[in-house]
Each structure stands twice: as C-alpha cells, then as structure tokens.
C-alpha cells in the first residue's frame, strides 16, 4: 500500500499503521479514509496529501 505525504507539515500516512487516535484502523488504504478526516499534525484535509515517492 502506498504512503501519503501531507505537503504542508510533512506528516506521512502509512496504511499499515493507520491513525488509531483519529479512528482509522491499521490496514486502511488512504482512499478508504472518510473525506472529513484531517491530518493529525496540522489539521489539513485529505486534499493536501500527495503520494509519497
């Protein structure tokens, strides 16, 4: 599964880890995260994330 980078702050969403504090279970692909989820570091929405190369 691909990791996604929050461009403004540098947080990396790793699907293998998920975001347990944000209610996203480990193993959840980025595409399956609810649209109202926000970066746990800076609070920006999914639209600012890019695929990590």
């Amino acid at each position: 599964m691909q990791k996604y980078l929050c461009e403004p702050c540098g947080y990396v969403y790793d699907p293998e880890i998920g975001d347990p504090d944000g209610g996203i279970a480990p193993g959840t692909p980025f595409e399956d995260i609810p649209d109202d989820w926000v970066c746990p570091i800076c609070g920006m929405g999914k639209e600012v994330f890019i695929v990590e190369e």
Side-chain angles (χ1 to χ4, degrees):
M1 284 190 270
Q2 290 184 311
K3 296 178 183 178
Y4 284 77
L5 172 71
C6 179
E7 283 194 296
C9 76
Y11 169 79
V12 175
Y13 174 76
D14 183 343
E16 292 184 16
I17 298 170
D19 177 21
D21 292 339
I24 308 300
T28 303
F30 188 79
E31 297 80 15
D32 293 347
I33 296 173
D35 289 337
D36 61 353
W37 178 82
V38 296
C39 175
I41 303 299
C42 71
M44 298 295 289
K46 286 178 66 177
E47 68 277 358
V48 302
F49 281 76
I50 59 169
V51 174
E52 184 178 58
E53 298 296 327

